[in-house]
Amino acid sequence: IVSLEMQLAEKETEATEAISQWEARYSSLEDDGRGVIQQWEERAQALEADIVSLEMQLAEKETEATEAISQWEARYSSLEDDGRGVIQQWEERAQALEADIVSLEMQ
C-alpha cells in the first residue's frame, strides 16, 4: 500500500507539474497572441493612414492636372487666335501686293 501511495503521490506531482507547464505555456501563447494582434492593428492603422495620404496626394495631382490642362487650352486658344490674325494680315498684304502688281502692269 505504501508503494501504491508513493506512486500515486508521484503521479499527482507529475500531473501538477504538467498542468503548471501547460498553464505557463498557455499564458505565454496568450501573451504572444495579444502582441501579434496589437502588431496587426498597428500595421492596419499605418496602412489606413498611408491610404488617406495617397488619396490626398491623388486629389492634389488631379487638381494640378486640371489647372495645367486649363492653362494649355487657354494658351492654345490664344495662339490659334493669334495665328488667325497673322494669316489675315498676310492675306491682306498679299492682296495689296497683287493690287500693286496689277497697278504696275497697267502703267
Side-chain angles (χ1 to χ4, degrees):
I1 293 187
V2 173
S3 172
L4 287 176
E5 288 176 351
M6 288 180 72
Q7 286 179 356
L8 180 60
E10 189 178 307
K11 294 295 179 185
E12 284 179 355
T13 303
E14 288 175 7
T16 302
E17 287 176 13
I19 289 170
S20 293
Q21 289 175 358
W22 181 87
E23 287 174 343
R25 180 68 180 140
Y26 174 78
S27 177
S28 174
L29 288 173
E30 190 175 35
D31 290 343
D32 290 347
R34 282 191 204 112
V36 168
I37 290 170
Q38 183 177 357
Q39 288 175 351
W40 278 106
E41 287 174 345
E42 291 170 357
R43 181 69 180 138
Q45 289 173 352
L47 289 172
E48 288 173 357
D50 289 346
I51 289 170
V52 168
S53 174
L54 290 171
E55 287 174 340
M56 290 173 61
Q57 289 177 18
L58 178 61
E60 184 179 318
K61 295 298 180 188
E62 286 176 348
T63 300
E64 290 173 5
T66 300
E67 290 174 8
I69 289 169
S70 294
Q71 291 173 1
W72 181 85
E73 288 174 339
R75 181 69 179 138
Y76 176 80
S77 178
S78 173
L79 290 173
E80 190 176 38
D81 291 343
D82 290 348
R84 284 191 197 114
V86 169
I87 290 170
Q88 184 177 357
Q89 289 174 359
W90 279 105
E91 287 175 346
E92 290 171 358
R93 179 74 177 136
Q95 289 173 356
L97 290 172
E98 287 175 358
D100 289 347
I101 292 171
V102 169
S103 174
L104 288 172
E105 288 176 344
M106 294 179 107
Q107 290 179 358

